């Protein structure tokens, strides 16, 4: 069973991801993002949006985090940062990797060496099913930036 | 540029994955697997088979490893280990996670605490594109067990 102490720890981790993503958008784009209250997901098959940057977590706790968003969110970021008006699919994949890497990298800095992250792996589109291991609690944090929607999904033991 | 020393190190890592996967099949199923020589993949978009168990690597080196195989490979393993004749899609997802976890866990034990692994995340089917970050060398190791084909893909800095 998922215990109270672990729940509190997990919610602290979610808060670090929320701060990190809001800092990212606020500082780098000049336009703040809104995040909604994280909710615990019980169903395995979490919906993915157009582009997803996924990062493995290891150390004291083990799991995964991903940020998934619509094409237009990443398009707008590429245009803003790289001044490319018509980004290629490869530019968007790189941007999705970069966003998840920077956001997770900041959380990693707060936790120190017992919270380690892999490189990001990125998909365009979604596989038929996506599953975290049994017993790994999964939180979802909805993000809104300008008119674009995205979310952070964290599965962590 | 990808240097000679790193190439040698990477090939040693591939050898550990080869030993680990061959031990897995040899010891647990009684039927040995054959692995082919690892090859360096230069194209980003690596093909996936029906089920894929993916694990993040962090520590001194950062990356990802996944094992991807056909439905019938995982079906046969579930039937053998759990005595389930008609495994559900969920059983097969769990089996794909388990295979990648055990194989990577053995490599992790050889390397010790500077080679850390996340939990496995598993997909059924493939997203439209899958991309490792730029500059991460990717090796592919083909596996054959009975009539089934699978492969290990390792992207590691």
């Amino acid at each position: 069973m998922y215990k109270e102490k672990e729940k509190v720890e997990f919610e602290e981790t979610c808060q670090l991801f929320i701060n990190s993503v809001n800092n990212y958008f606020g500082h780098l784009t000049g336009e703040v993002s809104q995040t909604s209250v994280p909710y615990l997901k019980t169903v395995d098959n979490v919906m993915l949006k157009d582009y997803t940057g996924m990062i493995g977590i290891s150390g004291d706790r083990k799991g995964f985090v991903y940020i998934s968003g619509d094409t237009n969110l990443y398009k707008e970021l590429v245009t803003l940062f790289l001044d490319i008006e018509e980004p290629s699919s490869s530019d968007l994949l790189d941007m999705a990797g970069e966003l998840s890497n920077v956001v997770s990298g900041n959380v990693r800095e707060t936790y120190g060496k017992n919270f380690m992250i892999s490189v990001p792996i990125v998909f365009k589109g979604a596989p038929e099913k996506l599953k975290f291991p049994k017993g790994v609690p999964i939180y979802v944090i909805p993000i809104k930036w300008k008119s674009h929607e995205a979310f952070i999904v964290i599965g962590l033991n």
Side-chain angles (χ1 to χ4, degrees), chain A:
Chain A
M1 224 6 246
Y2 189 45
K3 298 195 194 71
E4 191 57 29
K5 178 170 169 284
E6 287 154 7
K7 188 162 174 277
V8 170
E9 265 183 22
F10 207 144
E11 284 170 0
E12 284 169 6
T13 307
C14 286
Q15 194 54 53
L16 290 176
F17 275 100
I18 288 173
N19 297 346
S20 183
V21 81
N22 286 336
N23 282 338
Y24 182 94
F25 285 106
H27 292 165
L28 295 183
T29 74
E31 180 104 20
V32 294
S33 51
Q34 274 92 45
T35 46
S36 309
V37 176
Y39 59 92
L40 193 56
K41 188 114 183 97
T42 49
V43 180
D44 277 331
N45 201 20
V46 184
M47 205 190 63
L48 298 168
K49 292 188 171 267
D50 301 333
Y51 287 87
T52 302
M54 184 173 275
I55 286 185
I57 298 170
S58 46
D60 286 348
R61 294 152 81 203
K62 292 165 83 176
F64 263 100
V65 59
Y66 65 77
I67 300 181
S68 196
D70 290 332
T71 305
N72 286 334
L73 180 146
Y74 296 109
K75 237 180 198 166
E76 204 160 329
L77 290 175
V78 172
T79 303
L80 187 68
F81 297 151
L82 302 177
D83 202 19
I84 298 173
E85 281 302 324
E86 288 299 331
S88 65
S89 167
S90 175
D91 293 331
L92 299 173
L93 286 161
D94 290 343
M95 191 66 241
E98 174 77 5
L99 174 63
S100 62
N101 199 37
V102 173
V103 167
S104 306
N106 287 333
V107 174
R108 187 238 178 289
E109 283 192 8
T110 304
Y111 276 125
K113 68 180 166 50
N114 296 323
F115 186 96
M116 308 194 78
I117 59 174
S118 73
V119 299
I121 202 162
V122 189
F123 349 125
K124 179 183 182 187
E128 193 181 327
K129 285 192 179 177
L130 179 73
K131 196 179 178 187
F132 281 85
K134 272 179 199 158
V136 174
I138 301 168
Y139 272 93
V140 179
I141 305 165
I143 307 166
K144 194 164 183 194
W145 176 67
K146 296 189 173 184
S147 62
H148 310 303
E149 290 182 351
F151 45 73
I152 305 179
V153 176
I154 312 167
L156 199 57
N157 265 327

